[in-house]
Amino acid sequence: MDRVGIGLVWLDHGRGLDVPRQQSVGAAGVDLLAALGSSEVLAIAPGARALVPTGMAIALPAGYEGQVRPRSGLAARHGVTVLNSPGTIDADYRGEIKVILVNLGEAPFEIRRGDRVAQLVVAPVTAIRFDLMETLDATDRGSGGFGSTGR
């Protein structure tokens, strides 16, 4: 499998964290780690959200995007997920990657430096254009919305 090169710069508060990498041959994403202070604990109360810094900025190549997605273990065990899932990182963004977590669980959730808080999947982007038309072609579904194709 070919690898896409992505530039990474550590910000001061991210220095010393592990460089993200795919953990297995078939892994789609890389873990994003919390870049908190060494003694800092970020507690997210039930129903609350928090912006978690990763301490890194990246340079995606043109034609790619980064998708910030939840980690299934955090969601299953604690009810913690990425609020704007998937969060989108555009190829021309050069600021710090931050993760918006929400605690949908019943207990406070604590985050410490180096905790895996989300995953980043890099995907190609299709350049599009809209062609104005008077009508659209007919389909079996038509304009049927939510739930219109069955259970």
Side-chain angles (χ1 to χ4, degrees):
M1 170 179 14
D2 291 334
R3 294 190 183 270
V4 173
I6 297 171
L8 182 148
V9 171
W10 287 115
L11 306 174
D12 286 343
H13 58 285
R15 293 191 200 289
L17 292 173
D18 292 336
V19 173
R21 66 179 181 86
Q22 289 159 309
Q23 298 293 319
S24 69
V25 174
V30 300
D31 289 328
L32 294 175
L33 309 180
L36 301 174
S38 59
S39 60
E40 184 179 359
V41 176
L42 175 59
I44 307 174
R49 63 187 178 273
L51 193 58
V52 182
T54 66
M56 63 184 233
I58 61 174
L60 292 166
Y64 287 87
E65 67 157 331
Q67 300 172 3
V68 179
R69 299 181 182 180
R71 294 191 64 245
S72 57
L74 289 182
R77 287 192 295 277
H78 305 285
V80 173
T81 190
V82 175
L83 188 58
N84 62 325
S85 181
T88 300
I89 302 168
D90 295 312
D92 58 352
Y93 177 68
R94 294 296 183 267
E96 180 178 11
I97 295 173
K98 295 183 181 181
V99 179
I100 306 170
L101 290 183
V102 63
N103 182 354
L104 301 175
E106 298 173 359
F109 182 74
E110 293 185 347
I111 301 169
R112 292 174 173 76
R113 182 175 182 81
D115 284 353
R116 297 179 297 164
V117 295
Q119 59 182 320
L120 173 67
V121 174
V122 175
V125 172
T126 302
I128 65 166
R129 72 170 190 276
F130 287 96
D131 297 325
L132 295 177
M133 306 173 84
E134 294 298 321
T135 61
L136 301 176
D137 58 315
T139 66
D140 289 340
R141 182 176 182 178
S143 60
F146 297 106
S148 66
T149 60
R151 293 186 94 191

